[in-house]
Amino acid sequence: MRTQVAIVGAGPAGLMLAHLLSAEGLDVVVLECQAPHHVQSRIRAGVLEPVTVDIMARLGLDARLRAEGLVEDGFCLADGERLIRIDVAGLTGQTVTVYGQSEIQRDLMAAADARGIDVRWQVKDIVLHDVDSDRPWLTCRLDGHDLQIDADFIVGCDGFHGVARRAIPAAIGTVHERVYPFGWLGILADVPPCHHELIYASHPRGFALASLRSQIRSRYYIDVPTGTRIEDWPDDRLWDELDARLGPHAAAGISRGPAIEKSIAPLRSFVFETMRHGRLLLCGDAAHIVPPTGAKGLNLAASDVYYAADALIGWYARGDGDGIAGYVPRALARVWKAERFSWSLTRLLHRFPEDTSFDRAMQIAELDYIAGSRAAQLTIAENYIGLPL
Ligand code: RFL
Ligand code: PHB
């Protein structure tokens, strides 16, 4: 089988890229190792930057997002006592949209079907070959048969645990990584949110986040030490902890309900510094991970895909390699700034095991400074809204 662009992974990065390229008449094949219902039901991101909303609009896939997404003018930081509101709309003139990643995934999958985009599910044992030549190819197993796909380009959109990044020789890339000593324990429940805007709380007991999916569905997180077992956190214990960490104002609004989903996600900052090797490009979590503080992961996947599509469309339209050569510096410039923002918010809001009373005093002083400084609030707001493409 032959295609122009073979895309590994049908998460948000892979499907957005497939839509962007096929809208320009390019021939693409998407290869996903999981079944559709598995990919569709993963509970992950919730906050979309304007850049991500714009990409969905460019694809003509923003109708449900506009109808059902919640437009948020701001969010709050909490220090255990008070709420410090960051007036994102007032400071930047822009808003974020709360719309679950599972809904984005549903929209992308339904449109891929409707538009005849070739997505192959449950593809096993993908191996990439000759990615630094003019004729990259891959082999895989599909429905019990071996399949070979020859392509002009391969794009790895297969997430942090995928195979594409590993096809790049270690000597060519540099790994920059920080693994945090805690993870986020998240609960999704069909209860009204405690507050109409997100609250990121830094409490002496630890971090907490109050988020939402709709007027009747809430998403909450607390940080827990690495190695924590989910069985040790029955729903009641988790709701009690959220009450304590979010502070009296938010706690007064919390409605409790049974968990629809409960899981622990490890926290990591990671950049694989070369997002391309020859004819292999990496996009999204395949190339970088941010801790979820600041809600940048899905949005970075969207901006990578925007740059990659631009480069590939330019290559086919003009036959020159400038866009391809420029992909890595363009994407990395945005990635590093989002890494910095996510890391600094994580540092501000979480307690690290080695922290002393001095470190806690620094966090309190910084929160107090943010509470009183328009300049500090603007810095946070412009990063939260997402830096321009
Ligand atoms: P994905 O979503 O991991 O998709 C990769 C796809 O590749 C498939 N795959 C393979 N396919 C074929 N062969 C192989 N060998 C393969 N290996 C893997 C996988 O099955 C999968 O379908 O990566 P992508 O597309 O780059 O998207 C990235 C986002 O999913 C991720 O960055 C966000 O979810 C991060 N994130 C958040 N991002 C935001 O922008 N805003 C948020 O509010 C936000 N909250 C979050 C988050 C991530 C979280 N977790 C669970 C890590 C909250 C949480 C709790
Ligand atoms: C979420 O709603 O899942 C969410 C919101 C904000 C974050 C991370 C996750 O920073």
Side-chain angles (χ1 to χ4, degrees), residues 13 32-34 42 44-46 101 158 285 295-299:
E32 165 62 48
C33 64
Q34 300 287 352
R42 287 187 297 226
R44 288 183 170 177
Q101 182 169 326
D158 51 347
D285 281 13
K296 292 290 159 223
L298 170 62
N299 294 299

Side-chain angles (χ1 to χ4, degrees), residues 44-124:
R44 288 183 170 177
V47 179
L48 307 183
E49 296 174 358
V51 157
T52 308
V53 173
D54 287 351
I55 293 174
M56 291 299 279
R58 173 172 158 190
L59 296 174
L61 296 179
D62 58 333
R64 208 161 66 86
L65 191 162
R66 305 255 183 224
E68 296 173 22
L70 303 174
V71 174
E72 298 273 309
D73 287 342
F75 68 96
C76 295
L77 300 172
D79 61 3
E81 295 294 326
R82 65 188 158 161
L83 291 183
I84 304 163
R85 181 161 190 272
I86 309 294
D87 178 7
V88 174
L91 289 159
T92 67
Q94 291 180 285
T95 53
V96 295
T97 304
V98 168
Y99 189 68
Q101 182 169 326
S102 45
E103 303 308 313
I104 292 266
Q105 188 76 44
R106 182 193 303 265
D107 295 340
L108 289 166
M109 284 167 60
D113 270 356
R115 296 173 183 180
I117 295 177
D118 190 354
V119 184
R120 310 288 176 102
W121 303 97
Q122 295 183 291
V123 180
K124 302 299 175 197

Side-chain angles (χ1 to χ4, degrees), residues 93-246:
Q94 291 180 285
T95 53
V96 295
T97 304
V98 168
Y99 189 68
Q101 182 169 326
S102 45
E103 303 308 313
I104 292 266
Q105 188 76 44
R106 182 193 303 265
D107 295 340
L108 289 166
M109 284 167 60
D113 270 356
R115 296 173 183 180
I117 295 177
D118 190 354
V119 184
R120 310 288 176 102
W121 303 97
Q122 295 183 291
V123 180
K124 302 299 175 197
D125 305 333
I126 296 182
V127 181
L128 278 53
H129 306 270
D130 295 338
V131 295
D132 56 345
S133 78
D134 286 350
R135 296 185 166 274
W137 51 291
L138 61 81
T139 50
C140 56
R141 279 189 75 73
L142 179 57
D143 300 329
H145 300 288
D146 291 330
L147 181 65
Q148 173 172 338
I149 301 181
D150 300 312
D152 296 334
F153 291 93
I154 299 177
V155 186
C157 298
D158 51 347
F160 183 66
H161 300 288
V163 293
R165 186 176 70 249
R166 292 176 180 85
I168 301 181
I172 289 184
T174 306
V175 169
H176 306 276
E177 185 171 34
R178 167 139 205 195
V179 178
Y180 298 89
F182 39 73
W184 278 17
L185 166 58
I187 180 169
L188 186 70
D190 274 337
V191 291
C194 66
H195 193 70
H196 63 287
E197 295 179 337
L198 275 72
I199 303 173
Y200 292 84
S202 169
H203 188 274
R205 295 177 68 92
F207 169 82
L209 168 60
S211 182
L212 63 164
R213 289 290 178 275
S214 71
Q215 308 295 358
I216 52 159
R217 183 167 283 189
S218 303
R219 179 76 164 152
Y220 291 97
Y221 299 94
I222 59 167
D223 73 335
V224 290
T226 302
T228 298
R229 295 173 337 141
I230 198 114
E231 305 79 65
D232 293 338
W233 283 93
D235 292 2
D236 281 344
R237 181 178 178 207
L238 181 48
W239 289 116
D240 288 345
E241 194 64 24
L242 284 162
D243 273 354
R245 295 190 189 186
L246 284 166

Side-chain angles (χ1 to χ4, degrees), residues 326-348:
Y327 170 65
V328 176
R330 262 183 112 188
L332 272 183
R334 196 167 194 273
V335 165
W336 274 120
K337 293 186 197 90
E339 290 280 350
R340 186 209 67 80
F341 178 62
S342 308
W343 163 82
S344 71
L345 261 195
T346 302
R347 189 70 196 84
L348 172 65

Side-chain angles (χ1 to χ4, degrees), residues 239-362:
W239 289 116
D240 288 345
E241 194 64 24
L242 284 162
D243 273 354
R245 295 190 189 186
L246 284 166
H249 184 87
I254 292 182
S255 308
R256 299 183 176 203
I260 307 171
E261 193 261 5
K262 203 160 63 173
S263 55
I264 298 178
L267 259 65
R268 178 191 302 272
S269 297
F270 175 94
V271 178
F272 184 68
E273 188 152 15
T274 177
M275 294 173 64
R276 179 177 74 89
H277 182 45
R279 297 282 187 107
L280 169 64
L281 282 67
L282 302 179
C283 292
D285 281 13
H288 42 73
I289 296 288
V290 285
T293 338
K296 292 290 159 223
L298 170 62
N299 294 299
L300 278 185
S303 57
D304 285 357
V305 154
Y306 172 89
Y307 297 133
D310 200 36
L312 290 164
I313 291 164
W315 194 87
Y316 284 101
R318 296 186 298 276
D320 73 62
D322 288 356
I324 301 290
Y327 170 65
V328 176
R330 262 183 112 188
L332 272 183
R334 196 167 194 273
V335 165
W336 274 120
K337 293 186 197 90
E339 290 280 350
R340 186 209 67 80
F341 178 62
S342 308
W343 163 82
S344 71
L345 261 195
T346 302
R347 189 70 196 84
L348 172 65
L349 298 173
H350 295 71
R351 305 217 55 191
F352 289 68
E354 69 275 18
D355 277 3
T356 62
S357 59
F358 179 82
D359 298 296
R360 181 64 189 155
M362 288 298 97

